Amino acid sequence: MNVWLRVICLLLMPLAAWAEDRPRAGILWNRSGLPATFPLQVKTLPGKDYVVFLVDPDTDDPAMAGYIRGGTFFRLLVPPGNYLLRFAYGTDWRGQDDLFGPDTGWTQIDKPLDFRVIGTSRRSGYLVTLIEENGSMKIVEAAAQDWCQSLRRSSQIREYPKDLPGKTDRDAPKLRYLDQQVQIHDRLCA
């Protein structure tokens, strides 16, 4: 290998170390201490990636963060509460501390979104849409989406042979029982 080529490679290595592999889309961390059960969907255009921060409006502390790959479907379950949404965006991921480096852009929703239970079977969530307009990122919509939960029950009668003390296999009665399963089904409320 040419000496100059080696020197150039050695000089470029620190630059390559700056860029990190992009994280998978989804949760980066949850510092709220609460279970994440309320849906947040974000629609974005391709070309940039995003980090969404759920921030407590009273303390300005971030409670949760998620990574969004631009132009792909994104759904994140978030903890209950009121949160401001702040979005960092850019093209060259540099890690959770530096985000997208010095070119990191920011945008924020104007008022907090309330993620909570409504009644006994509804969970409030949101669909947020981001677009780039005149060189800056805008939140053009934050539409409430209520998700209804219902139980789906299925059952099946099962029989199992059972040896009872003092009985032979052919004399043993078959035990019958009802095997019940319950599943929670989510859907957008009408």
Side-chain angles (χ1 to χ4, degrees):
M1 185 190 276
N2 187 338
V3 173
W4 287 109
L5 186 57
R6 285 184 184 176
V7 170
I8 291 171
C9 287
L10 288 172
L11 290 174
L12 292 178
M13 280 176 49
L15 295 176
W18 275 27
E20 286 190 21
D21 288 337
R22 298 178 343 181
R24 288 182 10 193
I27 186 171
L28 288 173
W29 44 261
N30 179 357
R31 296 181 184 147
S32 71
L34 299 171
T37 57
F38 295 87
L40 170 64
Q41 288 180 258
V42 181
K43 290 186 348 185
T44 59
L45 295 173
K48 291 185 177 10
D49 284 356
Y50 305 81
V51 177
V52 58
F53 293 95
L54 281 79
V55 178
D56 182 321
D58 298 327
T59 64
D60 208 40
D61 291 332
M64 184 177 209
Y67 193 86
I68 304 169
R69 291 186 173 202
T72 61
F73 175 79
F74 178 79
R75 182 174 187 233
L76 182 69
L77 294 177
V78 303
N82 287 318
Y83 299 105
L84 286 171
L85 300 184
R86 288 190 185 138
F87 293 90
Y89 57 91
T91 55
D92 297 318
W93 179 248
R94 303 272 177 95
Q96 289 191 38
D97 293 332
D98 296 326
L99 300 173
F100 301 100
D103 295 329
T104 301
W106 289 91
T107 190
Q108 174 176 310
I109 201 158
D110 293 332
K111 55 185 172 179
L113 301 180
D114 188 17
F115 295 89
R116 62 188 171 94
V117 173
I118 303 168
T120 58
S121 62
R122 284 183 179 228
R123 293 177 299 137
S124 66
Y126 291 88
L127 172 62
V128 176
T129 305
L130 293 167
I131 64 166
E132 192 167 1
E133 186 177 87
N134 299 327
S136 65
M137 198 62 61
K138 305 270 186 206
I139 298 170
V140 294
E141 183 179 31
Q145 288 186 326
D146 288 345
W147 289 81
C148 290
Q149 291 184 318
S150 60
L151 295 179
R152 288 192 177 166
R153 176 181 265 160
S154 63
S155 58
Q156 180 178 5
I157 295 176
R158 297 190 183 258
E159 294 182 355
Y160 288 102
K162 177 74 176 165
D163 290 331
L164 297 175
K167 303 275 186 174
T168 63
D169 283 346
R170 74 172 190 267
D171 294 334
K174 292 188 178 183
L175 296 177
R176 296 180 72 186
Y177 72 95
L178 189 61
D179 183 15
Q180 295 186 359
Q181 295 180 356
V182 177
Q183 294 176 332
I184 297 175
H185 176 70
D186 282 344
R187 64 177 170 74
L188 275 173
C189 299

